[in-house]
Amino acid sequence: MEPLVGGSPETSMSPETVTTALETETNDRILTFIRPTDTGNVKANSTSGPSSSNSSAADLIACSEDLLTEIFLRLPVISLIQLTSVSKQWNLFIKSSSFCLLRNPNPDPPSGLFFEGWDARYKYHYVPLDFGNLVNRPPFTTLRFDSGSIKILQSCNGLLLCANDFQKYYVYNPTTNRFTTLPQLNNFNPDGICCMTLAFDSSKSSHYKVVCNYMYRVMMIEIYSSESGKWKISNESTDDLVDLDRGVYGHNAIHWMSFPNRLVYLKLDSEQLHYIDIDTPDTTVYGTILDEFLAESREGMLLVVRCCRFRRLNVYEIKKDYSEWSIKYHVDLEEVIRVYPSMLTRLGLHFMVQSLVLGGREEDSFIVLELPGKLIQYKFVVNTISQLRDFTTESRRCVHGGFFPKTIFQLSDFTRENRRFINGSCFHFIPSLAGV
């Protein structure tokens, strides 16, 4: 596990800054207990009077893991990262696997998105979401580990799976600014193509797995475990119809879409592949689904299907036992079209689903849509739209970028620019204490 060059969130905050951060999250009484200047001078302040009782309380908390646990569990992850610089004891305690499991009984919702940028290859824009998080500045814009530029391949519950141009793969925690380099596959082929998927659930384990699909005479699967630090060749293999670039982790399985209208999933405990037909009204009435989006839900997996004929998205859910599909949401896009009429062209609706987030309450659920040159958040239950980012001004500065931009902001008609419409890539940022 290695830190990135340029400093990390752990060392960027002074004790005074930590104290200020705590004051916004808890009350003054607790603030005086855990102020670093108090805990560092307990013996010096052991005289009689009020300072003596305060020092005794600070000493009690500093030495009691139970009390520290009760306090730290009430703080956001970003504040906990800042507190790791207070003392060696707190640093070890906060980063311990036992505390991390207590802190994340359920994965937090994303507090932001990393969106692949216009102005340079492998540059990422940080787009905050409205969860009241403490991250006001981008954790990074570009990544450089040991060699070459780094591309994000996938995000999973606070960790990022990344790769450079030389087929080296990394798992990176942007909150702690730590990364690890994955070892070579057992059947490594420098000229081959690997499709990697990250699997991590902090509520179940402090360890993660990476599933790799590649061609070695036949399509093969290898599974990496952070617990063993090794790749293991699986007895299973996928067929050529599986969309291996878009694997999604959920409920201890990796899920892929397969043509035509099949869901393929690999159970990580048994390491067995399963195939299930997608039996929904969209497949029955309209035939093959050509544009879809997979996401995890609390009860199973969600499948978002574009239904442009009716200008809506249909969101289906399949339970954890994969028994049946049911409709969960009809997301009406008419309000979005009214606010952003340029997404409607003679060729249909121009948008991409970049994220689907289910809130603690139904009215907090939303989707993130990429429109021409914009990212918007649509809370479809309460029918509210918020613009997260406008890339129009940024795109004008990169006319000599040497590559096709990720989105084209002029899509009012079928012009030469419109033919270069390529969807961008968004990755969730979830503050996490997970080790890599």
Side-chain angles (χ1 to χ4, degrees):
M1 180 175 66
E2 307 167 62
L4 282 182
V5 176
S8 72
E10 302 171 19
T11 58
S12 60
M13 304 297 292
S14 67
E16 289 300 323
T17 306
V18 172
T19 303
T20 303
L22 281 174
E23 189 173 15
T24 63
E25 295 299 328
T26 182
N27 55 43
D28 292 336
R29 179 179 175 83
I30 293 179
L31 183 67
T32 59
F33 283 167
I34 62 178
R35 183 178 293 138
T37 54
D38 289 340
T39 58
N41 299 282
V42 173
K43 292 183 178 180
N45 296 330
S46 58
T47 59
S48 60
S51 62
S52 176
S53 60
N54 286 343
S55 298
S56 299
D59 191 18
L60 176 64
I61 290 181
C63 298
S64 173
E65 287 195 0
D66 291 338
L67 289 175
L68 283 177
T69 300
E70 288 298 318
I71 295 171
F72 288 170
L73 286 177
R74 288 164 170 78
L75 300 179
V77 171
I78 296 300
S79 293
L80 291 174
I81 292 297
Q82 295 167 359
L83 286 173
T84 58
S85 63
V86 171
S87 69
K88 183 177 180 180
Q89 176 195 1
W90 287 12
N91 181 56
L92 294 175
F93 179 77
I94 291 172
K95 291 182 178 178
S96 66
S97 58
S98 58
F99 178 76
C100 290
L101 288 174
L102 286 174
R103 177 58 182 78
N104 292 307
N106 295 295
D108 294 331
S111 58
L113 300 171
F114 298 118
F115 184 77
E116 196 167 354
W118 281 77
D119 38 1
R121 188 169 182 240
Y122 300 165
K123 182 171 182 178
Y124 296 91
H125 299 275
Y126 178 69
V127 182
L129 300 173
D130 59 346
F131 279 99
N133 64 86
L134 302 179
V135 183
N136 297 318
R137 59 183 180 181
F140 61 83
T141 53
T142 58
L143 292 172
R144 289 188 179 275
F145 297 152
D146 49 0
S147 62
S149 298
I150 303 298
K151 178 179 178 64
I152 302 176
L153 303 178
Q154 184 202 357
S155 57
C156 185
N157 291 326
L159 299 183
L160 300 179
L161 179 63
C162 307
N164 67 7
D165 294 328
F166 310 105
Q167 287 204 18
K168 291 187 70 173
Y169 296 89
Y170 312 86
V171 176
Y172 172 55
N173 185 333
T175 307
T176 62
N177 207 27
R178 300 275 176 168
F179 74 95
T180 190
T181 305
L182 299 183
Q184 284 190 358
L185 297 163
N186 291 293
N187 294 319
F188 176 72
N189 179 6
D191 299 321
I193 298 177
C194 300
C195 296
M196 301 270 191
T197 307
L198 178 62
F200 175 62
D201 187 344
S202 59
S203 67
K204 294 181 172 61
S205 172
S206 59
H207 299 287
Y208 57 85
K209 294 184 178 182
V210 180
V211 175
C212 178
N213 292 267
Y214 62 93
M215 176 62 72
Y216 187 78
R217 299 189 182 94
V218 295
M219 290 299 298
M220 297 191 65
I221 296 176
E222 288 195 34
I223 302 175
Y224 172 82
S225 169
S226 65
E227 186 172 14
S228 66
K230 298 179 180 179
W231 288 98
K232 176 185 176 182
I233 299 177
S234 171
N235 295 325
E236 298 283 356
S237 62
T238 56
D239 56 45
D240 296 337
L241 300 178
V242 179
D243 188 0
L244 298 175
D245 282 330
R246 301 171 66 187
V248 176
Y249 171 76
H251 302 293
N252 201 35
I254 303 294
H255 302 79
W256 301 276
M257 296 297 297
S258 178
F259 184 85
N261 301 335
R262 285 196 304 174
L263 180 69
V264 182
Y265 61 96
L266 174 70
K267 297 295 289 185
L268 294 176
D269 49 3
S270 63
E271 297 183 9
Q272 291 184 336
L273 274 175
H274 302 268
Y275 294 81
I276 183 172
D277 291 331
I278 300 175
D279 185 15
T280 68
D282 286 275
T283 57
T284 302
V285 176
Y286 303 110
T288 302
I289 299 175
L290 297 177
D291 199 349
E292 70 289 317
F293 181 89
L294 275 174
E296 182 184 13
S297 70
R298 299 179 188 87
E299 302 300 325
M301 296 298 295
L302 298 175
L303 173 66
V304 183
V305 179
R306 291 178 61 159
C307 187
C308 291
R309 179 179 177 183
F310 297 104
R311 298 182 180 180
R312 74 184 182 201
L313 296 171
N314 292 330
V315 181
Y316 297 96
E317 184 176 50
I318 190 168
K319 301 299 182 183
K320 295 178 184 178
D321 60 0
Y322 302 95
S323 56
E324 63 177 352
W325 294 90
S326 60
I327 188 69
K328 189 171 181 68
Y329 299 112
H330 291 296
V331 182
D332 191 355
L333 297 176
E334 290 290 350
E335 183 64 18
V336 182
I337 297 171
R338 187 187 66 80
V339 178
Y340 297 98
S342 62
M343 67 182 289
L344 181 60
T345 76
R346 293 186 298 175
L347 299 179
L349 294 178
H350 283 254
F351 71 94
M352 295 297 300
V353 179
Q354 290 290 3
S355 180
L356 171 64
V357 177
L358 299 183
R361 303 175 303 171
E362 285 289 302
E363 55 266 31
D364 294 330
S365 301
F366 64 87
I367 57 173
V368 175
L369 299 178
E370 180 191 351
L371 307 183
K374 295 178 176 62
L375 283 180
I376 68 166
Q377 179 191 71
Y378 181 33
K379 293 186 176 182
F380 46 85
V381 175
V382 294
N383 201 31
T384 60
I385 301 171
S386 303
Q387 183 167 288
L388 299 175
R389 193 69 176 264
D390 187 347
F391 296 99
T392 301
T393 56
E394 299 172 40
S395 66
R396 291 169 181 165
R397 297 197 300 265
C398 58
V399 293
H400 303 295
F403 69 103
F404 282 170
K406 288 296 179 183
T407 48
I408 299 299
F409 60 89
Q410 292 291 340
L411 271 174
S412 58
D413 205 347
F414 187 60
T415 63
R416 289 179 60 187
E417 288 293 304
N418 295 351
R419 299 190 186 106
R420 298 194 301 174
F421 179 79
I422 304 174
N423 64 292
S425 299
C426 274
F427 307 94
H428 287 166
F429 173 57
I430 301 176
S432 172
L433 298 170
V436 292

